[in-house]
Structure formats: C-alpha cells, structure tokens
Amino acid sequence: MKINYLSLLLAGLVYVPAMQAADVTVTMNNISKTMTLESVASGEKIEVGEPERQVYKFSAPAGEYILSGFAGETLNGTIRITVDDSEGVQEFKILTCTVYATNKNSDNSVWTIADGDYTLDVVVNSREGLKQEITLGNSTTANRATFLALNGNSSVVEFIPSERHRREGYTSLYKMNNLTFNSTISGVIPMGENYVVDVPAAARFSMGMKKSHFVDFIPVEPQNVQEKDGNKQLTFYLAQSQVYNFRTWIDGGVTYAGYFNMGTRAEDRPRLAFTEADYKVYNPGTINHDPASNKGYETGNIFVNVNERGHLVMNQGQTFRAHAMRSWELTDNTTNNYFIEPDFHYAVLDLHGRPCDDVISISQSDGSSWAEIKAIGNGEVIVLVTYDAIALDYYNKANKTEYLGGEFWGAVWPENTAAYVVTVGQDASSVNPCMFINEGYNDGAKKMAGDNVDAEHDIFYYLDTEEGAAYTFTPEGVSEVTIAYPVISESKATYNGFGKEGVTKNDDGSYTLLLRHGRQIVKLADASGNSVYQILTAKKCHREIINETHPESEYARPGDRIRIQYSGLHHPANKLAGIYNMSAYVTYKGIPNGTSLIQSSGQYTFGSAPKAQAVTVTIPEDYDAEANPEFILNEGVIQVNGFGDPIGNHRFIDPVAGRSPNFTAIAHKTYFGAVPDIRIPVTVDGNSAVDEVEMSDVIPVVYYNLQGVASETPHHGLNIVRMSDGSHRKVIY
C-alpha cells in the first residue's frame, strides 16, 4: 500500500517511522534505591518497571533522558543520560554523592545551605571530559545535599561561603573526586590567610589550583603587588590546607613551577622567594639528549591533538583548540600524577619553510598547554611546536622535593619537534593515502587509527648503519607525491620545502619513500592540486647481535641462544595520566616478547632500559642451516601492553573538563611502527669447513655479517653472501 504523505500533512499528521527500542539496564545504589525516567524531548515518563535488587531492566527508544534518583520520597538529584541506537544492552551504574560543610557556629550549630551559610557549585564530568547535566537533591540526613553521577565520572565541588562569612575571613573550599562508588564529600570551609611571594621585578608569577588533568589551572589573583628596589612582592589570600601550584619565569631564564599545601601553621608552608640568579641556573634551551637523563625518564618528545595524519583542515573564520603534551609527562610521582607542562612555543611556516602569518593566527596564555588556532586566510602552512626546559619541585610541608626524575628537565629533542600541516579553504582532495602498517594486528578499537599509519605512535626504525627506512604504499587518486624532510640542528628542526628526492614511483603504482630521522611531511596531491598530508616519524637505532651460547663464535649454530640488543628505541605510548599506562616490548612475527601488563624495566623507562629493548631467541636444534643459511626475524614492531584508552585518544581531551583518572581502564595489547628485520647467519654445528666457496660463476650482490649488517664488500669472519641468482653462499674472510 502506498502512503500519501501529502494527505497526511494536509490532515495535520506527520509520519514518523517507528524507532526501535534499545535494551537498557540501570543499576541504582544503597542511597538512591529507586528511579524515574523522563524523555527530554517529550517530557513523558518512561515505563521502567520494578527493580530487582536495585537493578532496572527495560526498553527505551534512542534519545536523551532525565533520570531522577530517590531515597524513599526524597529526591537525591537528577542526571541526564543518553540511550543510543547501538546493539546490545546499554548499562548505566548510578552513584549518589553526599555533600556538606562541617563548619559550626559559635553556638555549636552547623552551617547549612538553608540558612545561607554557604552555597555549592558542583561540576560532574565523564571520564572523556564531557560535562554531565545534573541537578542537586537532598539527603535524608538533614542539612546535606546529594547529587547523582555515573560510575567513572569525576566531580569538582566548590563550597562557597556567604558574604557574611567571607567578611569573617573564610574562603572557598574545593574538593576534587574520582567517582567509582557512593562518596561523601565534606570538609571545613577554611579560613584564608595572606601568603607572600618574592620575585625580581622583571619576573612573572602565577598561582593556581588544579581542577582536572590536562586543563588550565584555576587562577588565583594576588590581593596586592608591591615593587621596591628591583624586587616584587605579591600577597595572595589562600585557603588553609588547600593545595596550590605556582609558576614563575623571566625572559631568557628558566621557568620554575611546582605545588605546595597551604598548611594551617606558618612553619608548615614553604617560603617562595626567587632571585635573578635562580632563573640563570639552567638555560631554557638546554637539551638533555640522552634517554638516561633524569633517572631514565627523559625522552624529549611531544604529542599534539591533531588527527593521526597530522593534517588539520579548516575554513576561514574557524578556530581550533590546539593541545600539546610533553612526553615523558612531568609528574611528581606515578600515582598522584600532579603533572605540570613546560612552556610551549609555536612557529608557522609556509610550504617553503618561510615564516607565514596570513593563513592562521595562534594565540596562547602564559603557562597553558592550550592554544587557539584561527583560520584567517586561504592557504597551506606547517605548524611547529616545541617546549623549553623547566625546573619542577613540590613541597612536603616546608621541605622541597624534586619531581620524579629530577628537578631540571630539558627542552624538546630537535628531531621530536611536533609538526603538522594546516590547510585553509582548500577543496576536498580525491586522494586516499592508503598508508597502512601492521595490517591485521590491531583491533581498531584499541588503536584508533586501525591499520592506518599514526603520525605519532607508529615509528619507522632503521639501523644507524643505513641511510633511512623504506616504506612502500599504494595511494589512490594521486597525481604527485613529494616529501619535506626535517632539517635538524642541535637546537631545533625546520623544513625547507617539498621535493621528489627520496620518493620512488614503482611500476605497480606503489610508491617507496626513504624515511629519515625525525618527522617528515608527505604531500599527496590529486590532479586538481588539492592535497592530503601525512606526517611520518622515523628514528635511527643501534643493534648488537650476541651469541650467548658461543660468545667466541663468528657464526651461529642450531641450538644457540642469540640476544638481539637494541638501543635508540622509544615507547610509542608513554604514560599520560588517565589515558596511557603501558609497558613496551620488541616483538617479531607477531609473537609476544612479553605478556606482563606492568613491567618494571620498560613500563616508564623503555627508552633507557637495555633489558626492555632486548629480544632473545634460540635457533631450533633441528634447524636446517644448509637449506636456510639465514635465520630471519621479520615483522618487527613495538608491542604495547597495559591499561588505558585506545591508543590515539590523547587527541580527544576537552580543554574545559580535561580527563579524570581512569579507574575503569581496559587492558589491551597493540602493535606499532616497524623495527628492522634480523638476519642471523647460521652454519652447521661444528663445521667450519665452509670457509671457501667458488663464487666466480655467479656474481655476489651483498654480504651480511653476524650482526646482519649489509655491505658491498666482505666483512671479517663469517659472511652470508646473497648472489645475483637469488641463492645464498657462506664464506669466511
């Protein structure tokens, strides 16, 4: 039967296809044992049935709903939830948090909201940083408020004293909580007290409070600033027992930062005073170009929040909140995670490597890891991001303690300068890069780029005896492929333009790129000149192959235990609080080289731990060395095991809500980058009579020694020789 839509409209009716209901489970709790559900769109109540042991099971169409939680007849608050149209049961675990101040008046009566002693400002965020829409409710206990949250949410509660109490000297109390169970959030709204800081007149100083990971600190403004004799004294009014952070810097000097607790006693607080000499102790451009620096935590790297290609597409007038993150993340310890970022700097170049200011503008606030990119004109530019050295300490009462790994941390390693391309006003390109890596190894939910190359996590390693790493791909819709190599000096990296050097077009339509140390930018243009860009990261490494069974031997034999020792490899997803918490291993042929999710030698110091960068294999006793004179290990990758987000999710952090600690993190394994193949020459056990062979009939092509190093001329000792007819010979020189 045909439906006459016009007739329906004329009759005042609208045809709406029936929406398929989703299966929903809501688990309440011992405080809010019952619930109601109301559609945001229609205001209608949804039939949810009766709970069984505080668990509701029902069906509801996809949409937005207001869930109200009750303790008997008392409303404990509301929270907005989203039911989507995905398959499977959608589960919501509701938590109830009780909030109250514990202050008392002189007559021993408690402060209450009802009497106007204080108010509450409650913000609840999802672990991904999305603000939850809630309303406060009441507890069945008098003079206490409640609010609802979902398991894994975080909350920031500000207890705000009334104006009357403020005049008495009270100031706001902040409480930050990670919510995995019903929580009681309470405390004494504190008295404030003056806190004095001394710095040179030319220096700048900021005070703040932490709200969440990866967001700007809540600023605390000084009550008074006085300058005298070239010095500056700042007076802050701070809450007793509250944790505050600080940052101070001067042009041309190193930045100092850290945090302290505003103890109730003066002797339990640090005295913050800086002289001009302090800022000159360490040059902000100092680079600790050694992974063993800072007790093995130094990696001098940087992550940004552009996509896995490193290509940001914008139109004029649009803005983008750019985020930069130092790696290693500078933290007080690996559990408290009070990390502080260094000073980030942005440079904008045209495609020829010249400064450019007419395509995008970038604005920053001092000390912020966030910047705003605004598209102001059509064109294509390269954005470079670096950071300076920084000094970090925290205070246990009045005692200064260095951050994990040390007080002074160097600037970004030049080859790790972050680089991405921004195009403004370009028509969509018809190019599909088809740049794949480790196809089939990664579940797309655990590596967000799936089989595609990730600009930051997938590193192409090559031996330090080679010119670079070769990468072959077959793009679609490409008219021209060019590459911009980084020009790396002792202090920085830059680019001088795109060219075809290092780009080989093959007969089958594929392209082979020679990747060099650092981040190169590949430009793939279609016939109309519209381009797609991909950042590819390559690093050189060193390798030693050691025969542990016969250390004196020039060759390997069946049954020998061989250790392959790398240096120069780096963790592809080092710790980021609330996001990544991973161990790393070198893996060949998809066979795990380690299974531990938490590994002491490689979890956080993979880049400096020889044990973590070693692979040990035993050549089988029955290995046929005559038929296969090379024992080959290929498909080398860096395997990551651990807890946290899918790799790549550091690009999706909200600048206002940030991220909370991840107490519901999943365990997973992922595989990244490419590590050079290993070719181990193997001879028959005890037979060294393979010294000489006649090679005049077929031309030698390449010689490999025990280390797998290729050469056009023979090495000293045992060689595996690849002949022009594809065969292999053994010879000792």
Side-chain angles (χ1 to χ4, degrees):
M1 179 181 71
K2 293 183 178 180
I3 298 176
N4 190 325
Y5 292 94
L6 180 59
S7 298
L8 290 175
L9 291 171
L10 292 173
L13 301 175
V14 178
Y15 172 74
V16 180
M19 297 184 66
Q20 185 173 355
D23 293 328
V24 179
T25 296
V26 176
T27 302
M28 300 303 290
N29 55 73
N30 289 331
I31 298 174
S32 305
K33 295 182 179 180
T34 60
M35 59 159 278
T36 62
L37 199 67
E38 180 182 297
S39 169
V40 172
S42 67
E44 295 180 357
K45 290 288 183 66
I46 304 301
E47 179 58 47
V48 296
E50 294 297 322
E52 181 177 344
R53 295 184 179 179
Q54 302 166 11
V55 177
Y56 289 84
K57 295 183 179 180
F58 56 92
S59 297
E64 300 289 320
Y65 296 91
I66 299 298
L67 186 152
S68 302
F70 293 88
E73 299 296 321
T74 302
L75 175 63
N76 292 143
T78 69
I79 187 168
R80 185 165 174 159
I81 64 172
T82 302
V83 175
D84 59 37
D85 56 3
S86 60
E87 296 182 0
V89 178
Q90 296 178 50
E91 299 185 11
F92 301 88
K93 183 178 180 181
I94 306 299
L95 307 177
T96 302
C97 299
T98 304
V99 191
Y100 60 97
T102 58
N103 298 66
K104 292 185 178 181
N105 296 304
S106 57
D107 62 0
N108 213 35
S109 62
V110 297
W111 285 18
T112 68
I113 297 173
D115 291 339
D117 291 302
Y118 67 98
T119 56
L120 294 170
D121 182 20
V122 180
V123 177
V124 177
N125 294 314
S126 71
R127 200 191 60 76
E128 294 74 26
L130 299 177
K131 186 176 180 179
Q132 304 281 27
E133 187 176 306
I134 66 162
T135 60
L136 294 178
N138 295 306
S139 171
T140 53
T141 301
N143 303 319
R144 297 182 181 184
T146 53
F147 66 88
L148 304 182
L150 299 176
N151 184 41
N153 284 174
S154 64
S155 66
V156 179
V157 179
E158 182 183 5
F159 298 77
I160 307 168
S162 66
E163 284 301 317
R164 174 171 61 87
H165 288 311
R166 281 191 180 277
R167 289 193 295 271
E168 295 170 348
Y170 290 94
T171 189
S172 289
L173 169 69
Y174 290 85
K175 288 281 188 174
M176 293 78 166
N177 288 79
N178 306 303
L179 307 173
T180 56
F181 51 84
N182 294 341
S183 299
T184 297
I185 303 170
S186 63
V188 176
I189 297 177
M191 292 290 288
E193 193 170 341
N194 286 339
Y195 183 81
V196 176
V197 176
D198 291 304
V199 296
R204 282 164 286 177
F205 186 95
S206 65
M207 189 82 74
M209 288 184 291
K210 183 172 182 176
K211 179 174 68 172
S212 185
H213 294 328
F214 305 107
V215 301
D216 290 341
F217 298 127
I218 302 169
V220 179
E221 299 298 331
Q223 301 292 304
N224 185 45
V225 179
Q226 290 185 337
E227 291 191 25
K228 184 179 180 181
D229 299 330
N231 294 314
K232 182 164 52 181
Q233 189 171 83
L234 303 93
T235 302
F236 296 88
Y237 192 70
L238 304 183
Q240 293 179 356
S241 301
Q242 181 75 54
V243 174
Y244 293 91
N245 57 68
F246 65 91
R247 188 182 201 95
T248 181
W249 65 101
I250 197 169
D251 290 343
V254 69
T255 292
Y256 285 85
Y259 70 88
F260 65 95
N261 186 297
M262 180 67 175
T264 56
R265 303 185 308 166
E267 57 265 35
D268 291 337
R269 306 169 196 151
R271 177 76 173 95
L272 294 181
F274 297 89
T275 67
E276 288 192 9
D278 291 327
Y279 301 93
K280 297 177 182 178
V281 168
Y282 204 79
N283 190 304
T286 300
I287 298 170
N288 296 331
H289 211 252
D290 182 352
S293 296
N294 296 93
K295 302 177 183 178
Y297 292 100
E298 178 59 271
T299 53
N301 210 342
I302 186 171
F303 284 162
V304 294
N305 65 335
V306 181
N307 59 28
E308 70 272 11
R309 290 181 182 171
H311 183 197
L312 176 62
V313 178
M314 305 179 72
N315 290 316
Q316 282 194 46
Q318 288 184 328
T319 59
F320 176 75
R321 292 299 305 275
H323 188 209
M325 294 151 276
R326 192 197 195 281
S327 180
W328 169 260
E329 182 178 71
L330 303 180
T331 183
D332 56 344
N333 59 64
T334 58
T335 54
N336 191 48
N337 292 321
Y338 204 120
F339 65 90
I340 294 177
E341 296 283 20
D343 297 309
F344 292 101
H345 302 286
Y346 288 78
V348 181
L349 311 176
D350 65 17
L351 297 189
H352 300 287
R354 301 169 301 203
C356 179
D357 60 5
D358 58 0
V359 177
I360 62 173
S361 63
I362 300 180
S363 57
Q364 298 173 261
S365 297
D366 290 331
S368 176
S369 60
W370 293 88
E372 183 175 273
I373 296 178
K374 185 173 182 179
I376 58 176
N378 292 341
E380 301 171 290
V381 292
I382 300 168
V383 176
L384 305 180
V385 191
T386 58
Y387 59 76
D388 289 340
I390 191 171
L392 293 168
D393 300 284
Y394 65 94
Y395 290 85
N396 180 8
K397 295 185 178 180
N399 300 315
K400 184 169 76 170
T401 304
E402 297 177 347
Y403 260 45
L404 179 64
E407 180 179 21
F408 291 96
W409 293 82
V412 68
W413 293 3
E415 68 270 23
N416 291 338
T417 298
Y420 53 88
V421 175
V422 181
T423 58
V424 179
Q426 175 187 264
D427 292 335
S429 174
S430 62
V431 171
N432 181 2
C434 299
M435 288 186 166
F436 303 127
I437 190 170
N438 302 325
E439 294 176 73
Y441 276 120
N442 287 312
D443 183 336
K446 295 177 181 176
K447 178 190 175 188
M448 298 189 74
D451 290 335
N452 295 301
V453 172
D454 188 296
E456 295 174 305
H457 296 298
D458 285 310
I459 300 173
F460 295 84
Y461 289 99
Y462 62 94
L463 297 178
D464 52 11
T465 56
E466 299 172 350
E467 185 180 0
Y471 174 64
T472 300
F473 67 108
T474 307
E476 298 173 352
V478 164
S479 176
E480 183 180 56
V481 176
T482 53
I483 192 168
Y485 287 114
V487 180
I488 301 172
S489 68
E490 291 185 359
S491 61
K492 64 180 181 179
T494 188
Y495 296 84
N496 288 341
F498 289 79
K500 293 188 176 181
E501 179 190 354
V503 180
T504 302
K505 184 175 182 180
N506 304 312
D507 293 339
D508 61 357
S510 66
Y511 289 80
T512 298
L513 306 176
L514 178 66
L515 306 181
R516 295 173 178 158
H517 195 55
R519 305 188 197 274
Q520 38 256 287
I521 309 171
V522 182
K523 180 179 182 179
L524 303 100
D526 63 17
S528 299
N530 299 316
S531 300
V532 169
Y533 293 87
Q534 173 74 55
I535 306 297
L536 296 177
T537 302
K539 290 184 183 296
K540 58 186 174 184
C541 63
H542 184 72
R543 183 173 71 193
E544 299 287 342
I545 299 178
I546 301 100
N547 188 332
E548 293 188 336
T549 304
H550 298 96
E552 76 290 346
S553 179
E554 293 282 346
Y555 51 87
R557 292 174 286 185
D560 283 359
R561 178 182 170 90
I562 309 297
R563 177 164 56 89
I564 300 98
Q565 180 65 62
Y566 281 101
S567 58
L569 305 181
H570 297 271
H571 201 307
N574 218 341
K575 179 180 174 64
L576 288 177
I579 303 177
Y580 306 140
N581 193 30
M582 313 290 179
S583 298
Y585 304 84
V586 183
T587 291
Y588 281 91
K589 294 186 176 180
I591 302 171
N593 186 39
T595 57
S596 173
L597 295 172
I598 302 297
Q599 180 196 24
S600 60
S601 64
Q603 185 179 6
Y604 301 134
T605 57
F606 176 82
S608 59
K611 181 179 177 182
Q613 297 192 36
V615 177
T616 302
V617 296
T618 299
I619 298 174
E621 294 281 358
D622 59 356
Y623 185 80
D624 189 345
E626 290 294 341
N628 301 291
E630 285 184 308
F631 184 82
I632 299 174
L633 293 173
N634 55 13
E635 299 181 26
V637 299
I638 304 295
Q639 167 198 341
V640 165
N641 296 0
F643 296 92
D645 288 7
I647 307 298
N649 211 29
H650 68 273
R651 303 184 179 108
F652 301 94
I653 299 173
D654 186 273
V656 176
R659 287 288 180 87
S660 60
N662 190 352
F663 292 112
T664 58
I666 60 171
H668 58 83
K669 295 182 176 68
T670 40
Y671 301 86
F672 296 97
V675 181
D677 291 351
I678 300 171
R679 297 176 178 272
I680 303 173
V682 183
T683 189
V684 178
D685 185 23
N687 180 9
S688 60
V690 295
D691 315 50
E692 303 292 342
V693 294
E694 180 61 43
M695 294 192 297
S696 59
D697 53 337
V698 185
I699 300 173
V701 176
V702 63
Y703 297 83
Y704 291 97
N705 67 0
L706 181 61
Q707 304 298 324
V709 175
S711 174
E712 294 181 357
T713 57
H715 300 272
H716 175 72
L718 177 67
N719 288 254
I720 296 296
V721 188
R722 182 169 295 157
M723 313 302 291
S724 58
D725 64 354
S727 64
H728 293 80
R729 308 285 178 87
K730 299 175 186 175
V731 62
I732 293 179
Y733 283 91

